[in-house]
Amino acid sequence: MVLYFDEETQNDFCRQIEKYVEKWGVRYMDAVIAICETKVIPVEGVAKVLSKPIIEKIKEEGENLNFLPKTTKLPI
């Protein structure tokens, strides 16, 4: 399922995720699921509306939990 969010709605959704993580101290992937359940939005459709920083944080969480293979990082 493809969701359509205009830019303002997309930004609001991402801000809600950030606030949820900050307030409840949960992982980003858990925050996305919780907000989707609250708003009755299918989780499968939100990947395209998430901001790049949130996607990176979810990817990092997945790697740390061994849900995803670890990627090589440059020592900076």
Side-chain angles (χ1 to χ4, degrees), residues 72-76:
T72 307
K73 298 177 184 169
L74 294 175
I76 295 179

Side-chain angles (χ1 to χ4, degrees), residues 39-75:
K39 296 184 176 290
V40 191
I41 300 171
V43 176
E44 301 84 17
V46 298
K48 293 185 179 186
V49 299
L50 296 176
S51 66
K52 186 168 175 95
I54 291 177
I55 291 171
E56 289 297 319
K57 291 172 185 173
I58 291 172
K59 182 179 174 188
E60 185 177 324
E61 288 174 354
E63 290 175 359
N64 291 339
L65 293 169
N66 295 320
F67 293 160
L68 297 171
K70 297 208 185 280
T71 55
T72 307
K73 298 177 184 169
L74 294 175

